[in-house]
Amino acid sequence: MISSDVIRGYNDTLILYMLMDGESYGYEISKKIRTLSEEKYIMKETTLYSAFTRLEKNGYIVSFYKEETFGKRRTYYRITPAGLAYYREKCEEWQVTQEVVNKFIKEL
Amino acid sequence: MDTIISYLNNMFATLPKSDQMLKLKQDLLASMEEKYYELKMDGKSENEAVGIVISEFGNIDELTSELGIMPEVEEEWSPMLADDEVEGFMAAKRKSGLWIGIGVALVLTGVALLIFITTSFEIGMLGGRFSEDAANMFGLIAMLLFIVPAIAMFIYSGMKLEKYKYLKSEFTLPYHLKAYVQQKQEAFASTYTLSLIMGVCLCVVSPAAIFVGSAFSEAAASLGVVVLLEIVAVAVFLFVYYGNIKDSFSILLQTGDYSKAKKEEDRVIGGVAAIIWPLATCIFLISGLVFQQWHINWIVFPITAILFGMFSGAYNIFKSKGRS
């Protein structure tokens, strides 16, 4: 299990990655993150929704309602071009971060 | 599922009920609901499912800080009072009330003594061995002998309460202490009313000493003033001592004069009182000592009281109008 402190700066990246395959909604995204991380990272509900709020405020994603079966309404999210650009930026940042941190990591 | 709904309701209870908040809450609920049903389908028990959903909820502060909102109730940080603090404050307040009460009574006694000595000289009770100046001087010295310890008492009682200065600003009283103080307040109510009635009766009766005195002679009227001052001294002691005990409860419970809105008003009224009452005392002493008007000048105090009452009443009405 990864602690939420370690991964904090990359929650947005995780969510954007999930949205690159197409629009999705809260629970689906959190479930996919869980399976993709092989249960090593479970994003808390509040982390997920505060990230949605932040990403939408910055124009990286847009939200809209979609009618589900049984007349239920869900909030869906879609990534924007700005969001895609931001994602690339974060990927580059991670490359550098990884390189730097790796220099200080050794097998003991 | 009800547990999850009420958990979420609790989490949002202190947050503002804006459209954005409601939407967020609905999304969170939908998400948690789905997770819950999936866990149940996987064969988890009701308790297990609820436990997992709640443990994966996270921290509501994360959301509120992202939205830039603060919970409605905890706008300001306010310290929580402990048992010994409350107990200590009530004891200190009671003690300081005792010292201030005695102090004020001493000041009044000092003034009474001054009048008594100068009057005694005028009617020749001192046997004419002293000049008038000497008699006045003795009187003043006697008065100072009473006033100096009184001032020491005022300072001492102020220092006793210095420690509890923070109670003037915001604080929180835990529930069990609130109940305890309320109980004490109720038990004290009848004692306080009795002291108030006695004090007011003494004040009302006190001018009678002057009327009785003036029926005999001018000098007897002056001695009547001495009696009046002593009666008033007892009354003031009652007001101050019992008033302080009552205040200690009101301050802790933040009721009446010590509610949040009232604290602001009291600053202004307190400021005016700090000027007007010493001024009245000055007028009283000067008119008495310089112009020998002891038989009538006591009226300064009731007049000041009425004017001051009018002022604070008018100020409160004006203030509450401005607020509404």
CSV table of all heavy atoms in Angstrom, one decimal, chain B residues 183-205:
chain,number,residue,atom,x,y,z
B,183,GLN,N,-25.7,24.8,37.0
B,183,GLN,CA,-26.3,24.3,38.2
B,183,GLN,C,-25.9,25.3,39.4
B,183,GLN,O,-26.7,25.6,40.2
B,183,GLN,CB,-25.7,22.9,38.5
B,183,GLN,CG,-26.5,22.1,39.5
B,183,GLN,CD,-25.7,20.8,39.8
B,183,GLN,OE1,-24.8,20.4,39.0
B,183,GLN,NE2,-25.9,20.3,41.0
B,184,LYS,N,-24.6,25.7,39.4
B,184,LYS,CA,-24.2,26.6,40.4
B,184,LYS,C,-24.9,28.0,40.3
B,184,LYS,O,-25.3,28.6,41.3
B,184,LYS,CB,-22.7,26.9,40.2
B,184,LYS,CG,-21.8,25.8,40.8
B,184,LYS,CD,-20.4,26.3,41.2
B,184,LYS,CE,-20.1,25.9,42.6
B,184,LYS,NZ,-18.9,26.5,43.1
B,185,GLN,N,-25.1,28.4,39.0
B,185,GLN,CA,-25.8,29.7,38.8
B,185,GLN,C,-27.2,29.6,39.4
B,185,GLN,O,-27.7,30.6,40.0
B,185,GLN,CB,-25.8,30.0,37.3
B,185,GLN,CG,-26.3,31.3,37.0
B,185,GLN,CD,-26.4,31.6,35.5
B,185,GLN,OE1,-26.7,30.7,34.8
B,185,GLN,NE2,-26.1,32.8,35.0
B,186,GLU,N,-27.9,28.5,39.1
B,186,GLU,CA,-29.3,28.4,39.6
B,186,GLU,C,-29.3,28.4,41.1
B,186,GLU,O,-30.2,29.1,41.7
B,186,GLU,CB,-29.9,27.1,39.0
B,186,GLU,CG,-30.5,27.3,37.7
B,186,GLU,CD,-30.8,26.0,37.0
B,186,GLU,OE1,-31.1,25.0,37.7
B,186,GLU,OE2,-30.6,25.9,35.7
B,187,ALA,N,-28.4,27.7,41.7
B,187,ALA,CA,-28.3,27.6,43.2
B,187,ALA,C,-28.1,29.0,43.8
B,187,ALA,O,-28.5,29.3,44.9
B,187,ALA,CB,-27.3,26.7,43.6
B,188,PHE,N,-27.4,29.8,43.0
B,188,PHE,CA,-26.9,31.2,43.5
B,188,PHE,C,-28.0,32.2,43.3
B,188,PHE,O,-28.0,33.3,43.9
B,188,PHE,CB,-25.6,31.6,42.8
B,188,PHE,CG,-25.1,32.9,43.2
B,188,PHE,CD1,-24.6,33.1,44.5
B,188,PHE,CD2,-25.1,34.0,42.3
B,188,PHE,CE1,-24.1,34.3,44.9
B,188,PHE,CE2,-24.7,35.2,42.7
B,188,PHE,CZ,-24.2,35.4,44.0
B,189,ALA,N,-28.9,32.0,42.4
B,189,ALA,CA,-29.9,33.0,41.9
B,189,ALA,C,-30.6,33.7,43.1
B,189,ALA,O,-30.7,34.9,43.1
B,189,ALA,CB,-30.9,32.4,40.9
B,190,SER,N,-31.1,32.9,44.0
B,190,SER,CA,-31.9,33.4,45.1
B,190,SER,C,-31.1,34.3,46.0
B,190,SER,O,-31.5,35.4,46.5
B,190,SER,CB,-32.7,32.3,45.9
B,190,SER,OG,-31.7,31.5,46.4
B,191,THR,N,-29.8,33.9,46.3
B,191,THR,CA,-28.9,34.6,47.1
B,191,THR,C,-28.7,36.0,46.5
B,191,THR,O,-28.7,37.0,47.1
B,191,THR,CB,-27.6,33.9,47.3
B,191,THR,OG1,-27.8,32.5,47.6
B,191,THR,CG2,-26.7,34.5,48.3
B,192,TYR,N,-28.5,35.9,45.1
B,192,TYR,CA,-28.2,37.2,44.4
B,192,TYR,C,-29.3,38.1,44.5
B,192,TYR,O,-29.2,39.3,44.7
B,192,TYR,CB,-27.8,36.8,43.0
B,192,TYR,CG,-27.6,38.1,42.1
B,192,TYR,CD1,-26.5,38.9,42.4
B,192,TYR,CD2,-28.5,38.4,41.1
B,192,TYR,CE1,-26.2,40.0,41.6
B,192,TYR,CE2,-28.2,39.6,40.4
B,192,TYR,CZ,-27.1,40.4,40.6
B,192,TYR,OH,-26.9,41.5,39.9
B,193,THR,N,-30.5,37.6,44.2
B,193,THR,CA,-31.7,38.5,44.3
B,193,THR,C,-31.9,39.1,45.6
B,193,THR,O,-32.1,40.3,45.7
B,193,THR,CB,-33.0,37.6,43.9
B,193,THR,OG1,-32.7,36.8,42.8
B,193,THR,CG2,-34.2,38.5,43.7
B,194,LEU,N,-31.6,38.3,46.7
B,194,LEU,CA,-31.8,38.8,48.0
B,194,LEU,C,-30.8,40.0,48.3
B,194,LEU,O,-31.1,41.0,48.8
B,194,LEU,CB,-31.5,37.7,49.0
B,194,LEU,CG,-31.9,38.0,50.5
B,194,LEU,CD1,-33.4,38.1,50.6
B,194,LEU,CD2,-31.4,36.9,51.4
B,195,SER,N,-29.5,39.8,47.8
B,195,SER,CA,-28.5,40.8,48.0
B,195,SER,C,-28.8,42.1,47.2
B,195,SER,O,-28.6,43.2,47.7
B,195,SER,CB,-27.1,40.3,47.6
B,195,SER,OG,-27.0,40.3,46.2
B,196,LEU,N,-29.4,41.9,46.1
B,196,LEU,CA,-29.8,43.0,45.2
B,196,LEU,C,-30.9,43.8,45.9
B,196,LEU,O,-30.9,45.0,46.0
B,196,LEU,CB,-30.3,42.5,43.9
B,196,LEU,CG,-30.1,43.4,42.7
B,196,LEU,CD1,-28.7,43.6,42.5
B,196,LEU,CD2,-30.7,42.8,41.5
B,197,ILE,N,-31.9,43.1,46.5
B,197,ILE,CA,-33.0,43.7,47.1
B,197,ILE,C,-32.5,44.5,48.4
B,197,ILE,O,-32.9,45.7,48.6
B,197,ILE,CB,-34.1,42.7,47.6
B,197,ILE,CG1,-34.8,42.1,46.3
B,197,ILE,CG2,-35.2,43.3,48.5
B,197,ILE,CD1,-35.7,40.9,46.6
B,198,MET,N,-31.7,43.9,49.1
B,198,MET,CA,-31.1,44.5,50.3
B,198,MET,C,-30.3,45.8,49.9
B,198,MET,O,-30.5,46.8,50.6
B,198,MET,CB,-30.2,43.6,51.1
B,198,MET,CG,-31.0,42.7,52.1
B,198,MET,SD,-30.0,41.4,52.7
B,198,MET,CE,-28.7,42.3,53.5
B,199,GLY,N,-29.5,45.7,48.9
B,199,GLY,CA,-28.7,46.8,48.5
B,199,GLY,C,-29.6,48.0,48.0
B,199,GLY,O,-29.3,49.1,48.4
B,200,VAL,N,-30.6,47.7,47.2
B,200,VAL,CA,-31.4,48.7,46.7
B,200,VAL,C,-32.2,49.4,47.9
B,200,VAL,O,-32.3,50.6,47.9
B,200,VAL,CB,-32.4,48.2,45.6
B,200,VAL,CG1,-33.4,49.2,45.3
B,200,VAL,CG2,-31.6,47.7,44.4
B,201,CYS,N,-32.7,48.5,48.8
B,201,CYS,CA,-33.4,49.1,49.9
B,201,CYS,C,-32.5,50.0,50.7
B,201,CYS,O,-33.0,51.1,51.1
B,201,CYS,CB,-33.9,48.0,50.8
B,201,CYS,SG,-35.3,47.1,50.1
B,202,LEU,N,-31.3,49.6,51.0
B,202,LEU,CA,-30.4,50.4,51.7
B,202,LEU,C,-30.2,51.8,51.0
B,202,LEU,O,-30.2,52.8,51.7
B,202,LEU,CB,-29.0,49.7,51.9
B,202,LEU,CG,-29.0,48.6,52.9
B,202,LEU,CD1,-27.6,47.9,52.9
B,202,LEU,CD2,-29.2,49.1,54.3
B,203,CYS,N,-30.0,51.7,49.7
B,203,CYS,CA,-29.8,53.0,48.9
B,203,CYS,C,-31.0,53.9,49.0
B,203,CYS,O,-30.8,55.1,49.2
B,203,CYS,CB,-29.5,52.6,47.5
B,203,CYS,SG,-27.9,52.0,47.2
B,204,VAL,N,-32.2,53.3,48.9
B,204,VAL,CA,-33.4,54.1,49.0
B,204,VAL,C,-33.5,54.7,50.4
B,204,VAL,O,-33.9,55.9,50.5
B,204,VAL,CB,-34.6,53.2,48.6
B,204,VAL,CG1,-35.9,54.0,48.9
B,204,VAL,CG2,-34.5,52.8,47.2
B,205,VAL,N,-33.2,54.0,51.4
B,205,VAL,CA,-33.4,54.4,52.7
B,205,VAL,C,-32.4,55.5,53.1
B,205,VAL,O,-32.6,56.4,53.9
B,205,VAL,CB,-33.4,53.2,53.7
B,205,VAL,CG1,-33.2,53.7,55.2
B,205,VAL,CG2,-34.6,52.4,53.6
